[in-house]
């Protein structure tokens, strides 16, 4: 239900960065990814079947995310030749950010999908 999802996302926002990062790492590992923490525009580098994905999760608590962190993520993805860029948010993307994510084919990890991945 929508109320259950909202409550779950609220619980994620109450986590510290370290708790949230560990929950995400566990979720990605369950999905079969190798996970490395990285610095810069991305927080994690995922690897599965020779394909690299960059994940930005640090601003997960923001109620609304603008386009800037997505631009930084795309630039990092290009320099790292990542096959995919993933942006994690427990809040919402602004209209501009949504359009940019679509245009640049950034996968957004939010809502019920985020809750499933980050479950303890």
């Amino acid at each position: 239900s929508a109320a259950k999802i909202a409550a779950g996302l609220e619980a994620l926002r109450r986590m510290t960065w370290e708790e949230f990062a560990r929950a995400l790492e566990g979720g990605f590992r369950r999905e079969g990814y190798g996970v490395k923490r990285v610095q810069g525009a991305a927080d994690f580098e995922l690897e599965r079947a020779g394909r690299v994905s960059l994940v930005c999760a640090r601003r997960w608590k923001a109620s609304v995310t603008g386009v800037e962190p997505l631009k930084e993520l795309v630039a990092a993805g290009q320099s790292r030749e990542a096959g995919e860029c993933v942006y994690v948010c427990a809040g919402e993307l602004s209209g501009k950010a949504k359009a940019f994510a679509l245009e640049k084919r950034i996968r957004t990890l939010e809502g019920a999908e985020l809750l499933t991945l980050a479950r303890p």
Side-chain angles (χ1 to χ4, degrees):
S1 76
K4 217 174 182 172
I5 291 169
L9 292 174
E10 192 46 53
L12 289 183
R13 282 192 207 96
R14 283 195 298 270
M15 288 178 165
T16 64
W17 164 247
E18 191 50 44
E19 290 167 337
F20 185 66
R22 275 201 307 267
L24 281 182
E25 282 175 326
F28 286 126
R29 287 203 174 93
R30 282 192 299 273
E31 290 192 349
Y33 289 98
V35 183
K36 264 196 324 209
R37 289 206 194 183
V38 293
Q39 298 294 310
D43 300 298
F44 304 99
E45 186 178 289
L46 308 180
E47 190 275 326
R48 182 168 72 182
R51 184 179 148 102
V52 171
S53 303
L54 289 184
V55 180
C56 176
R58 188 161 294 276
R59 293 188 177 96
W60 90 100
K61 286 186 186 201
S63 48
V64 179
T65 298
V67 77
E68 226 25 71
L70 298 175
K71 285 183 176 172
E72 292 168 17
L73 179 60
V74 166
Q78 286 166 342
S79 74
R80 186 59 190 80
E81 295 179 9
E84 180 182 49
C85 290
V86 181
Y87 193 84
V88 176
C89 60
E92 290 178 37
L93 294 175
S94 71
K96 241 185 195 149
K98 273 188 182 132
F100 184 81
L102 270 174
E103 178 198 329
K104 298 294 184 183
R105 301 191 22 233
I106 298 168
R107 180 160 83 96
T108 54
L109 188 53
E110 52 195 333
E113 190 187 2
L114 173 57
L115 287 175
T116 301
L117 185 80
R119 75 178 191 274

